Amino acid sequence: MNPLRRLLDLFSSVRFGIVLLFLLFVYSGIGSAGLPLRFAIWEPGAWTAVRMWRGLEMTEYEWFNWWPFFVLVALTCLTIIVTTIRRIPFSTVNLGVWMVHTGLILMSLGCVYYFGTKIEGDVPLARARLVITPPGGPSVTMRAMPGHEATATTSEGPWRFQVIDTDPNWELLSGPDKGQTAYAVKIMVQSPRAMFIRQLLAGYPEFTEDMIRSNDASQPWARAVKQIGQPLVDDALVMELAPDAQSHFWVMDSASLYMREVARQPDGTTTPLTPWIERPIEGLPRYREYIEREQEVWLPQGDDAVSTGPLNLHVPPEAPNDPLADEPLHITSYLPYAALESRVVPGGTQLNPVTTIRLDTSSGRGVTHRMFAFDENPTSPDPSLMRFVWIEDEREMDRMVSTDGPRLRIGVPAANVEIDADITDLVEVDPDTPWTPVEGTDVEFRVRRVDDGLRIRGRKLDMARVEIRNGNRTWLRWVFDDPSLNGDFPIDGPTDSHVAGDRVVDESVTTTYLPMGGPPAPVTLVSGPGEDQLRLVNDLLGGTPQVIDVPVNEPIVLGPEVTMVVEEYDAQARIEERPRVIARRARQPKAGGQLSMIKVRMPEAKRQAWLSYHHYPFEDRNDTLIRFRYRPTIITMPDGRTIEMLYSRTTAPLPSQVELTGFDIRSHVGGFTGEVSSVLNWVSRVRFEDEDGDELGQVSVNDPRERQGFWYFQSQWDPPEAATAAGQVSSRGLNYTILGVGNRNGVWTMLAGSILSVIGMIYAFYVKPMIKRRRAASVYRTLQETTS
């Protein structure tokens, strides 16, 4: 038989078509639901996601954009076409079948076109961007977000600006729009001459005004127009709210490396020398761990252990101005759920006492703490109840068990006089503190202040600042508990706790500071002076503190109902930071790649770094959005250059420039309470600008908007947030919106195919039987006429 005829017979076989449809069904079911591992398929753990297996690592979209799916669709369409042409003659009776088959072909073509060209992501839009130009200085810009701050250097000194508040619903009290609301931004301004607050209203620059300090305690800030007769303290300072227009969006389920050259500043910050340069990462895994060396990460143990595999992805440069164009970059590790974590490990070479203790109560409750001896500001456990310290010599231990107050030992060798005087009065508290004479000499003294627990050049010291007078000469002496560190200065000398260089001491007067006795906390663990010495000073019972040697892993009774066990102690521990792989049972499926990390290796430069995922590659801290990370990794290259590197998503251009003009919350009855449950809908008012001109529109959750082939829909918003840490600024919310962006190519083709198939089925099941009945009736009548 002719091979072509055999092939045509195969593709016109109904059985072959049924096999292809079955394979399509299986392929789609595995991609969407997974593969059942046991008979009880209704149980949650009965299915495994095949597309997430190592070696595949696909999203559902990628699964249906893979070549096996296209091959099955193509074979199915070819079978339909050949079968229809060879087996179903084109006629009025068969018109319905032809329409159904044509509709299926159209749907298949539309499906291939849809998945083959599909792109989706999101774009963040802030309500406004601050543009500030101080007199005689450069302009600075930042997004209008509570807490953002910037500094501009001018010839007369630095200008500092900080956004201290935003109000999305500031009510206008005058003007033609009285009663309407506007977006208000308050900026704290510290100029070389004054400090004031400037308020800006989006869309209403004529209402810009300043507030200055007042003498009214009930209203510490008052409008400048009422205090000085004019609305602005310094009208040479130009501040405006500009649109935060965006011309790019960030593609969903993509990955890119961003890098740029920066210059380090004395304060530790960096200044970009080049813009972010992007290198897309192709083939990055999504769901499984790939680790180059397991010693570089903290892996979960036991039942939470994870399997790992090798990875080596080359990331070539694409931009001509890539700062590392001659440096090959390789991704050698990927962690889908991880976070950097510092842990104490043995094997250090420097003194760094660390201990782990467990406190147990008689009721069976227990808590574990890790304590660092050189942590000057411990937070756990409560430092007013328990401390861990290091001592240099036994004199510090003697002082802990002493109940004496602070004293000054002062002597005059020429007169063979030395006395110990209690320190009860301080000059900084009472400037009229009287002078205390040293009997039998002309020397007098008084204590200005005391500073216990200083840490100077890694050493813990106690110091008193003492004014000394001998005849007509008066000077200031810093008196330490170690007299070899004492130093004399003019009476109005330095007040810093550290003075570099040699110190001169008048040896006619000797001094030693004897700090206050007693432990720093009721329960104090003491390490030293020997590295293997660990003792407990217990002052819970009152009286003289008790000193107890502390063995590891043996309980010690602290009180009637509390015992303590030192589980670990190391005098030379070192702190090591590694990525910690989050155990599977603790993972949040909705987090996606938000918690992922990659390791970048530069073999020629012999550099490597772990990078945490960033949802957006912000330009700097003043470009960030609330609740989004910005922590680029800094790498010093062998040639001395400093490179910042960041792991984020791939950018793609928008056909239209988009900006946010307003944001509304439509709430249920009772109004917006701050909780999501009270929100009925989120509405972003946006402006599109492209070659076709400008267009204003609204985008909400269930009402997307199309522009130039892209659809925009409401994705995320900025809810109110209270300050939870020192230095953090609270936010009223509604400072930005995040719009989802995506195309829908092929949708109309699929819709047309669906409509045509439905019409064809109606024709096949209703019209075709009518035609056949009429034809049968016609034949029957003809036969009757013939026989009669």
Side-chain angles (χ1 to χ4, degrees):
M1 184 181 291
N2 189 336
L4 178 60
R5 185 176 182 84
R6 288 184 177 181
L7 191 62
L8 290 175
D9 289 342
L10 174 65
F11 280 98
S12 58
S13 169
V14 176
R15 293 179 180 178
F16 183 64
I18 293 174
V19 170
L20 290 176
L21 291 176
F22 175 75
L23 292 177
L24 265 176
F25 173 78
V26 172
Y27 183 91
S28 302
I30 292 176
S32 298
L35 196 66
L37 296 178
R38 52 180 181 266
F39 180 76
I41 60 175
W42 55 87
E43 295 181 359
W47 295 80
T48 179
V50 175
R51 58 182 174 81
M52 296 183 182
W53 285 359
R54 194 180 302 277
L56 293 178
E57 304 269 0
M58 293 181 180
T59 63
E60 191 169 349
Y61 160 73
E62 290 171 328
W63 179 265
F64 289 103
N65 197 33
W66 197 21
W67 67 264
F69 178 71
F70 290 148
V71 169
L72 286 174
V73 171
L75 291 175
T76 303
C77 291
L78 185 59
T79 302
I80 293 175
I81 293 173
V82 174
T83 302
T84 303
I85 294 175
R86 296 189 70 195
R87 289 178 173 269
I88 308 174
F90 184 77
S91 63
T92 305
V93 174
N94 295 328
L95 188 59
V97 177
W98 276 72
M99 284 192 289
V100 171
H101 288 183
T102 303
L104 291 176
I105 300 299
L106 285 176
M107 284 191 287
S108 299
L109 292 176
C111 180
V112 172
Y113 183 37
Y114 178 89
F115 284 108
T117 62
K118 180 66 176 177
I119 186 171
E120 190 169 329
D122 53 65
V123 56
L125 301 172
R127 294 287 290 268
R129 186 175 288 273
L130 271 168
V131 181
I132 306 171
T133 306
S139 296
V140 295
T141 180
M142 56 183 170
R143 275 181 167 143
M145 297 286 157
H148 280 188
E149 54 187 18
T151 300
T153 303
T154 67
S155 57
E156 60 177 354
W159 288 67
R160 295 182 175 86
F161 310 93
Q162 182 184 24
V163 180
I164 60 174
D165 187 27
T166 60
D167 189 344
N169 297 301
W170 180 271
E171 184 178 354
L172 300 176
L173 301 178
S174 61
D177 293 334
K178 180 180 179 180
Q180 300 293 320
T181 59
Y183 182 69
V185 181
K186 290 183 179 179
I187 306 98
M188 176 67 72
V189 180
Q190 296 185 44
S191 74
R193 299 183 303 274
M195 181 172 70
F196 55 93
I197 296 174
R198 177 160 294 185
Q199 177 174 275
L200 306 174
L201 300 182
Y204 299 92
E206 67 273 17
F207 291 147
T208 300
E209 64 175 351
D210 292 343
M211 288 174 281
I212 60 178
R213 289 191 178 275
S214 68
N215 296 324
D216 186 356
S218 61
Q219 188 179 5
W221 294 91
R223 297 172 64 192
V225 68
K226 293 187 176 181
Q227 297 289 314
I228 60 177
Q230 60 185 33
L232 301 181
V233 173
D234 189 344
D235 55 10
L237 171 64
V238 179
M239 303 178 70
E240 61 179 350
L241 294 176
D244 183 39
Q246 296 293 328
S247 58
H248 290 77
F249 70 102
W250 282 264
V251 181
M252 181 179 65
D253 297 324
S254 64
S256 285
L257 279 178
Y258 292 82
M259 58 203 72
R260 64 185 177 188
E261 186 176 354
V262 298
R264 289 183 182 267
Q265 303 300 321
D267 60 357
T269 60
T270 59
T271 300
L273 301 178
T274 62
W276 283 121
I277 303 300
E278 180 181 356
R279 288 196 193 185
I281 305 173
E282 301 294 338
L284 189 69
R286 303 187 188 281
Y287 308 109
R288 304 293 176 179
E289 284 76 15
Y290 296 81
I291 304 173
E292 183 180 20
R293 295 176 61 245
E294 293 188 359
Q295 296 81 2
E296 294 180 339
V297 301
W298 307 116
L299 286 171
Q301 304 298 322
D303 296 337
D304 294 323
V306 297
S307 60
T308 63
L311 182 68
N312 189 5
L313 296 178
H314 178 53
V315 187
E318 293 189 354
N321 56 342
D322 192 309
L324 299 176
D326 299 330
E327 183 66 45
L329 298 181
H330 295 267
I331 308 298
T332 58
S333 296
Y334 173 79
L335 305 175
Y337 288 85
L340 286 175
E341 182 177 286
S342 296
R343 293 186 183 181
V344 179
V345 296
T349 58
Q350 297 181 345
L351 184 66
N352 183 29
V354 178
T355 184
T356 302
I357 66 166
R358 189 182 73 248
L359 300 175
D360 297 315
T361 65
S362 59
S363 62
R365 299 178 61 184
V367 63
T368 301
H369 296 288
R370 174 161 286 163
M371 305 176 69
F372 300 83
F374 294 152
D375 185 0
E376 298 182 5
N377 299 294
T379 57
S380 178
D382 187 346
S384 65
L385 300 176
M386 191 171 191
R387 294 290 297 267
F388 178 42
V389 299
W390 167 266
I391 60 174
E392 299 287 347
D393 54 52
E394 285 296 331
R395 290 181 298 175
E396 295 182 61
M397 177 62 76
D398 295 338
R399 188 193 317 153
M400 288 189 192
V401 298
S402 171
T403 57
D404 296 334
R407 291 172 297 154
L408 178 68
R409 180 170 293 162
I410 183 168
V412 181
N416 197 24
V417 174
E418 185 178 77
I419 64 171
D420 287 353
D422 293 333
I423 300 176
T424 57
D425 300 312
L426 300 176
V427 175
E428 284 196 351
V429 177
D430 181 9
D432 297 326
T433 298
W435 293 83
T436 301
V438 178
E439 298 296 336
T441 70
D442 294 333
V443 176
E444 298 177 301
F445 70 92
R446 60 180 185 176
V447 180
R448 178 180 293 182
R449 60 180 286 182
V450 296
D451 295 285
D452 291 338
L454 295 175
R455 186 163 294 279
I456 302 176
R457 296 177 182 175
R459 183 177 175 184
K460 181 177 176 297
L461 298 169
D462 300 305
M463 181 187 74
R465 307 187 192 202
V466 182
E467 298 176 3
I468 302 176
R469 185 164 64 188
N470 189 359
N472 294 327
R473 179 171 174 250
T474 304
W475 69 95
L476 175 68
R477 174 173 293 179
W478 286 5
V479 183
F480 290 87
D481 52 347
D482 181 356
S484 65
L485 301 176
N486 292 352
D488 289 347
F489 305 97
I491 192 67
D492 296 326
T495 58
D496 294 333
S497 62
H498 178 97
V499 175
D502 297 332
R503 287 178 286 275
V504 178
V505 177
D506 185 345
E507 296 182 357
S508 65
V509 180
T510 62
T511 50
T512 303
Y513 175 53
L514 305 174
M516 178 183 294
V523 177
T524 304
L525 276 172
V526 181
S527 176
E531 293 186 2
D532 59 346
Q533 286 184 278
L534 184 64
R535 288 171 284 183
L536 171 69
V537 180
N538 188 353
D539 196 27
L540 288 175
L541 304 178
T544 303
Q546 298 178 348
V547 180
I548 306 170
D549 289 329
V550 179
V552 177
N553 287 324
E554 291 190 15
I556 296 176
V557 178
L558 298 181
E561 298 183 355
V562 180
T563 60
M564 179 187 73
V565 177
V566 174
E567 297 181 335
E568 296 177 347
Y569 167 69
D570 191 346
Q572 290 188 341
R574 60 187 177 92
I575 309 298
E576 188 170 322
E577 186 180 57
R578 303 180 192 173
R580 176 179 64 87
V581 177
I582 300 173
R584 292 194 180 278
R585 56 186 172 84
R587 297 179 180 181
Q588 300 177 3
K590 293 184 179 180
Q594 301 281 341
L595 301 178
S596 63
M597 296 184 70
I598 61 174
K599 190 178 84 170
V600 179
R601 180 181 289 279
M602 293 176 271
E604 292 188 6
K606 297 181 179 180
R607 298 290 190 272
Q608 65 180 30
W610 282 97
L611 308 182
S612 298
Y613 173 82
H614 289 68
H615 206 58
Y616 301 106
F618 297 113
E619 290 297 325
D620 51 41
R621 295 193 181 279
N622 287 330
D623 190 46
T624 59
L625 303 174
I626 300 172
R627 287 175 291 276
F628 284 92
R629 180 206 308 263
Y630 175 74
R631 195 176 301 165
T633 300
I634 300 176
I635 302 173
T636 302
M637 303 300 292
D639 58 6
R641 292 183 302 155
T642 302
I643 301 295
E644 276 187 346
M645 196 170 288
L646 190 142
Y647 159 46
S648 185
R649 298 179 294 167
T650 304
T651 59
L654 286 169
S656 307
Q657 185 170 273
V658 189
E659 64 184 61
L660 182 67
T661 61
F663 188 82
D664 297 329
I665 288 181
R666 295 175 183 173
S667 58
H668 293 282
V669 176
F672 178 57
T673 63
E675 300 294 333
V676 176
S677 58
S678 65
V679 177
L680 180 63
N681 202 353
W682 295 267
V683 180
S684 296
R685 299 195 302 275
V686 297
R687 180 195 305 273
F688 299 100
E689 183 178 350
D690 49 43
E691 57 187 14
D692 293 340
D694 293 358
E695 180 187 4
L696 295 174
Q698 292 187 354
V699 178
S700 61
V701 175
N702 295 315
D703 186 18
R705 193 171 189 87
E706 189 270 342
R707 180 76 175 183
Q708 295 286 354
F710 275 77
W711 289 82
Y712 299 81
F713 56 92
Q714 187 65 42
S715 177
Q716 298 181 51
W717 70 302
D718 175 32
E721 183 175 78
T724 57
Q728 186 178 357
V729 180
S730 61
S731 170
R732 302 173 191 256
L734 309 188
N735 294 293
Y736 65 84
T737 188
I738 296 180
L739 299 182
V741 183
N743 59 8
R744 295 181 178 179
N745 297 332
V747 171
W748 289 110
T749 303
M750 288 187 282
L751 181 60
S754 300
I755 294 174
L756 186 59
S757 294
V758 171
I759 294 174
M761 285 186 282
I762 294 174
Y763 189 96
F765 287 103
Y766 293 98
V767 178
K768 179 179 177 178
M770 293 173 57
I771 294 175
K772 295 181 71 174
R773 283 197 300 269
R774 289 179 180 178
R775 287 184 177 180
S778 176
V779 171
Y780 181 73
R781 285 196 302 269
T782 302
L783 290 174
Q784 282 184 331
E785 292 174 356
T786 302
T787 56
S788 63

